[in-house]
Amino acid sequence: MSEIIHDKPSLKQSLKVIFFSSKINILLLLVPVGFVVNFLNLNKVIIFVINFLVIIPLAKLLGFATEELSCGVGQVLAALLNVTFGNAVELIISIIALSKRQIRIVQASVLGSIFSNILLVLGSCFLAGGITILKEERLEQEFSSTAAQASSSVMTLACIALVVPAAFILAIDGNSNSTIGNSAPNAIDSRILHLSYGTSIVLFIIYILYLYFQLKTHKDLFNNEENEEPQISKNMALFLLIIVTVIIGFSAEFLVSSIEGVDLSKTFIGLILLPIIGNAAEHATSVTVAMKNKMDFAICVTVGSSTQIALFVIPLLVILGWIIGQPMSLNFEVFETVCLLISVLLSNYLVQ
């Protein structure tokens, strides 16, 4: 466990804490390698694999910097910071993929991030926390069901909004294709895009109201635990946050540019691989706090992250696509939409 520094740490102490904050930071040695293999235009698979490995420790460092910034600001704001910057990797990758017209990658990656959070990460929290309390000869973990249900209810609302475009297509066409037989596909695509734009604006408004609910009117429901002491100064944490975000931007650019040369389906890359690297920091943080019997914070981060993706990240990408002329819509594959609905209902059932 890293030594907690109460006085203002020196630069040497801060760097020591940063680089030894996680064992996977050894992969940071691949950062310059990722730049070199890209500029030498080597095999696309090599570029993809190296930058994939590079983003994992960078995501962890991003999470570490966020945790340090969130110390002493209250649990609600701390969870919000963790959620926001925890989704920064997915957002950066998605924006770059969107600019390169990789719409399928963008759609699969945002849905994969939701699946990863409410299934893999939340499930791991329950499992790891359960093993810990059994070792302590206790039978139950405790968390605020009211706060969890509030987050889950908003997530259900967001899920319904994401299902609407797919339902619209099925209602018009009778299948998952965005055409009416062989006629007027562009007209139907236009309808879906306009429906997506309107739905995204509504989701933005819901997200703002939910933040007001969390941070203002009902903050007592979410604020139950104290934050730990910071290990580095806030200025150093902010500097680390900026530097890591910039490096992630370059690595994500190299990663997305090499996808076409990888012999894997875009759906698999988006649904499975990209969420793994994007959620590495959140996963580690959530499981760690769950093992400390802080399930309120763990649920707040995992469910809150999924909620933010559905209410903020996805609408932002749709609106951004609208601005730059890319046809990003909320019309996901029917199978993925059904899986999303089932996943959200399952997580709701568990936390209630």
Side-chain angles (χ1 to χ4, degrees), residues 155-171:
M155 185 62 213
T156 303
L157 181 62
C159 178
I160 292 172
L162 296 178
V163 169
V164 168
F168 177 75
I169 286 292
L170 289 174

Side-chain angles (χ1 to χ4, degrees), residues 179-207:
T179 64
I180 303 179
N182 295 319
S183 64
N186 291 334
I188 298 303
D189 290 342
S190 177
R191 289 188 199 178
I192 287 296
L193 286 174
H194 284 91
L195 177 62
S196 298
Y197 301 151
T199 303
S200 297
I201 293 172
V202 172
L203 290 176
F204 269 133
I205 296 173
I206 294 173
Y207 182 63

Side-chain angles (χ1 to χ4, degrees), residues 24 28 37 84 88 105 122 141 154-155 169 179 188 196 228 233 242-243 245 290 304 310 315 324:
I24 64 173
L28 291 173
V37 295
T84 301
I105 290 289
L122 185 60
Q141 279 187 298
V154 176
M155 185 62 213
I169 286 292
T179 64
I188 298 303
S196 298
E228 297 180 356
S233 68
I242 295 171
I243 292 297
T245 302
I324 65 177

Side-chain angles (χ1 to χ4, degrees), residues 110-157:
V110 291
L111 281 185
S113 295
I114 294 177
F115 293 148
S116 176
N117 277 296
I118 62 177
L119 296 179
L120 177 63
V121 182
L122 185 60
S124 298
C125 289
F126 285 138
L127 179 62
I131 292 174
T132 301
I133 65 169
L134 284 177
K135 291 180 179 179
E136 298 174 359
E137 298 184 351
R138 293 185 290 116
L139 298 179
E140 293 181 350
Q141 279 187 298
E142 296 179 355
F143 61 89
S144 172
S145 60
T146 304
Q149 288 174 23
S151 300
S152 298
S153 298
V154 176
M155 185 62 213
T156 303
L157 181 62

